[in-house]
Amino acid sequence: MSAPTVLGPRALNRATLARQLLLDRAGVPVLDAVAHLGGLQAQEPQEPFVGLWSRLRAFDPAELSDLLTGRRVVRTHLMRRTVHLVTADDALAWRARHAVMLRQRVLGTYRRELAGVDLDELAAAGRAVMADGVPRSMTELARVLAERWPEPGPRALGEMVIAALVPMVQLPPRGLWRTRAGVRNVMLSAWLGRDIDPPDPDGSDPVGRALVRRYLAAFGPAASADLRAWCGLAGLPAAVAALREELVAFRDERGRELLDLPEAPRPDPGTPAPVRFLPAFDNAVLGYHDRGRIIDDAHRGLSVAGERVVLVDGRVAATWTVGKDGTVTVTPLHGLSRTDRTAVAGEGEALAAFLSEGDSRGVRIAEAAR
């Protein structure tokens, strides 16, 4: 048996860009893009619009807003216990598989406060409060629960119920285009008119296998540690093992095994990569344990600090902000060539026009960060 092919950082970078629709903007419907990407991280409500603008040709933000109000896309706690924008079908199919992880992650923060609280009873109480279908903030829900469990405090009670115990969605107008709105929650099943899919009774874990395939389609080639970093689930080795015969294996330069779907795109490492502006917490960066394929270790902290970043030649090379006047300001992390500055300015102008709906095309490139 021949040794697996070694994929260098540039080959992995170009594969990531292709899977993430960042090498060429895709001409697919918004719903299909959200499904292909396995959702978009969305705790900052407006950020998914930038993520899709950078990935889709002629993206109309009204289409995403319509999908939210039409209940075909939802905002819910899922992968890594963060708020994600996912298709309704994926939310229903995946939620039960994430339940244990969600509970463990909330307990990781509030274990002391919730000691002695029967979580099954808390879940039942939360469902009883929400059964009337009235949208509630976490504070409103927690205030009711605190009448029965005063010791933990409302924050611990509210986060445990909303982020872990009871599948919830954040209702529009939260997350609609150019709209500011607080978080109002209802139960996922009530909003969609369907119950979440139950866990598989025989333990064969079809959802786990589906998650592996979907992850590799959008992020591969990747290691098992990368898969876990994306979804937060520890219990997927069996799913990976069950699929191994239908996958292909590579190695990175550190010797890690990388798995992939056989027919997935792996572009030539020399393929040119256009400038792309990414939103805060974009999964193209956060969706890996080893983020070196797209961001230098020296700048890794930007990805978890909520900085918006600019890709130049496929790698994080700058951060960006937008001012009240609609001007996009780019701050390079290192010196940029004249050609790269021109490309960054051109894409920045297009982004400013998108964000302002044509009122601004202002872009400013600041001095490189020191």
Side-chain angles (χ1 to χ4, degrees):
M1 181 181 295
S2 61
T5 300
V6 175
L7 299 177
R10 193 174 176 91
L12 293 174
N13 174 269
R14 292 318 193 246
T16 292
L17 297 180
R19 312 294 175 88
Q20 286 288 304
L21 313 181
L22 293 167
L23 201 57
D24 294 297
R25 281 185 166 97
V28 300
V30 174
L31 184 67
D32 292 350
V34 174
H36 167 75
L37 295 167
L40 294 95
Q41 195 157 328
Q43 63 262 50
E44 296 293 337
Q46 294 298 298
E47 301 303 296
F49 291 96
V50 176
L52 290 170
W53 175 82
S54 287
R55 289 171 163 93
L56 300 180
R57 293 197 292 271
F59 171 61
D60 180 356
E63 293 184 33
L64 180 56
S65 290
D66 288 346
L67 289 171
L68 279 161
T69 57
R71 310 188 189 200
R72 301 186 69 192
V73 164
V74 297
R75 295 171 48 82
T76 187
H77 288 88
L78 204 58
M79 284 77 77
R80 306 188 300 277
R81 200 199 127 197
T82 53
V83 176
H84 272 70
L85 189 75
V86 295
T87 68
D89 289 343
D90 283 345
L92 294 168
W94 294 355
R95 181 54 174 75
R97 188 63 178 81
H98 286 74
V100 172
M101 178 273 293
L102 293 170
R103 181 182 297 207
Q104 290 173 340
R105 293 210 170 192
V106 177
L107 283 176
T109 302
Y110 297 109
R111 189 175 302 277
R112 180 180 299 177
E113 290 87 342
L114 293 167
V117 175
D118 185 309
L119 297 184
D120 291 336
E121 290 185 11
L122 179 60
R127 290 191 187 93
V129 174
M130 301 299 295
D132 60 7
V134 175
R136 289 176 172 86
S137 68
M138 185 175 73
T139 300
E140 291 168 340
L141 172 60
R143 188 179 298 126
V144 177
L145 297 173
E147 294 175 4
R148 180 171 173 183
W149 291 281
E151 293 83 6
R155 184 78 185 182
L157 292 172
E159 287 206 24
M160 177 53 81
V161 171
I162 286 176
L165 296 182
V166 181
M168 300 274 196
V169 295
Q170 297 182 357
L171 290 193
R174 179 83 168 174
L176 300 185
W177 174 237
R178 301 188 76 184
T179 300
R180 291 182 178 274
V183 177
R184 309 289 288 178
N185 304 282
V186 297
M187 288 195 290
L188 174 64
S189 57
W191 180 245
L192 296 181
R194 293 180 282 165
D195 291 331
I196 67 170
D197 295 352
D200 194 68
D202 64 6
S204 61
D205 197 16
V207 176
R209 296 197 300 274
L211 286 168
V212 173
R213 292 190 186 98
R214 295 280 295 278
Y215 176 75
L216 293 177
F219 294 87
S224 293
D226 296 318
L227 169 65
R228 179 173 179 172
W230 168 68
C231 63
L233 299 176
L236 290 177
V240 172
L243 296 176
R244 185 169 286 275
E245 289 189 2
E246 69 182 64
L247 303 177
V248 292
F250 302 93
R251 295 279 177 186
D252 65 13
E253 291 184 343
R254 294 159 47 196
R256 295 193 317 158
E257 182 182 55
L258 307 175
L259 298 175
D260 204 6
L261 303 174
E263 304 303 321
R266 290 178 288 275
D268 185 287
T271 303
V275 168
R276 291 288 186 256
F277 283 69
L278 298 186
F281 307 113
D282 194 279
N283 276 345
V285 182
L286 290 182
Y288 298 96
H289 173 71
D290 179 10
R291 298 172 189 163
R293 67 176 66 192
I294 202 166
I295 187 169
D296 295 341
D297 285 345
H299 303 132
R300 184 184 173 107
L302 298 174
S303 61
V304 294
E307 294 281 358
R308 297 154 160 175
V309 299
V310 184
L311 303 184
V312 177
D313 193 27
R315 298 191 63 80
V316 173
T319 61
W320 67 274
T321 59
V322 59
K324 293 182 179 179
D325 63 352
T327 297
V328 170
T329 297
V330 177
T331 303
L333 299 172
H334 52 70
L336 298 177
S337 70
R338 180 176 298 179
T339 299
D340 288 340
R341 288 176 69 90
T342 299
V344 168
E347 188 75 354
E349 288 179 7
L351 176 61
F354 168 72
L355 293 173
S356 67
E357 295 189 326
D359 289 342
S360 171
R361 294 189 66 86
V363 62
R364 183 177 74 90
I365 301 181
E367 294 297 319
R370 295 182 181 275

